[in-house]
Amino acid sequence: MAPEQMAERDGDPEPVAPPRPLNSVDRDILRILRTDGRASIRAVAERVHVSRANAYARINRLVEDGVIRGFSARVNHERAGQAASAYITLKIVQNSWRTVREQLQALPGATHIALVSGDFDVLLLVHTPDNRALRELVLTKIQAIPEVLSTRTLLVFEETDLGPRPGRPAELA
C-alpha cells in the first residue's frame, strides 16, 4: 500500500484506505445512530428515505471505513457500582505514549484515555467502586508505570453526559 494510503486508526499506524467522503444521507445515518445506537436498519432507512438494503450497505461501509468505531451503551457508573470517578492527569517520559497507553488500557475502570497538550501529557478517566479502590489504582498501578513521571487526581463530584439524545442536535459535519 502506498504511503498516502497509510492512515492511523486509534493511534496505531496500519494500512487503511483513505476515508470516502460522507454525503448528507451518511451524515443523517450517523446522527440517528449517535442518538439511538439500537435503531433498526428499517427505522434508519425510513428516516433517511432510502431502501433497507441501501441503509444496510451504508452502515456497513461506515463501519468498514472506521467512521463508526462500534456500538455501545451509555452507562450510569454510580448505579453500576462504580461510585468514584476521577480524571487523572499524567506527565510521561517523552516518546513513551504507546507504551503508557497500552498499560493504561489494561487498568480496571479506565474508560477514556487522551494524549493532550498543555501542562500534562495524558488525561485518563476512571471509574472505581469507591475512593479506596481509586487510591489503590493511582498509587499502586498508575504510579508504578516506569514511564509515568507524575500524576494528579481530580475527583468527579457530579457528571452529565452530553452525548446525542432526542431533541438535541448532533454536531456532525
Side-chain angles (χ1 to χ4, degrees):
M1 187 168 278
E4 63 273 8
Q5 291 180 309
M6 293 293 287
E8 200 166 294
R9 183 180 289 171
D10 290 336
D12 290 323
E14 64 179 54
V16 178
R20 293 176 265 197
L22 302 181
N23 63 26
S24 62
V25 174
D26 296 324
R27 288 189 295 274
D28 288 344
I29 289 171
L30 290 173
R31 284 186 191 101
I32 292 165
L33 292 176
R34 287 196 55 180
T35 302
D36 180 7
R38 293 173 34 152
S40 68
I41 298 291
R42 175 182 289 199
V44 170
E46 288 173 0
R47 289 183 59 191
V48 299
H49 310 292
V50 297
S51 70
R52 282 184 290 181
N54 188 325
Y56 182 81
R58 285 175 181 266
I59 291 169
N60 278 343
R61 180 179 57 83
L62 292 167
V63 170
E64 289 170 8
D65 284 356
V67 175
I68 295 176
R69 296 184 305 174
F71 299 87
S72 63
R74 291 192 313 265
V75 175
N76 179 324
H77 294 282
E78 189 171 348
R79 293 188 57 90
Q82 302 290 301
S85 297
Y87 285 96
I88 303 167
T89 67
L90 295 83
K91 289 185 181 181
I92 61 173
V93 171
Q94 189 172 1
N95 297 321
S96 66
W97 163 240
R98 284 184 173 84
T99 302
V100 171
R101 181 185 59 199
E102 287 176 18
Q103 294 176 73
L104 295 176
Q105 287 172 328
L107 293 174
T111 59
H112 185 85
I113 304 166
L115 179 65
V116 298
S117 64
D119 294 336
F120 49 89
D121 305 306
V122 178
L123 183 63
L124 170 68
L125 175 60
V126 298
H127 303 283
T128 61
D130 52 37
N131 283 341
R132 180 174 297 207
L134 176 60
R135 182 183 71 223
E136 185 74 15
L137 181 71
V138 173
L139 297 179
T140 65
K141 291 192 168 73
I142 296 173
Q143 291 183 356
I145 298 171
E147 297 85 0
V148 172
L149 302 173
S150 67
T151 64
R152 186 173 200 185
T153 303
L154 308 165
L155 293 177
V156 174
F157 296 125
E158 183 177 317
E159 60 186 322
T160 302
D161 182 6
L162 298 179
R165 57 189 178 275
R168 180 171 182 216
E171 291 102 28
L172 215 77

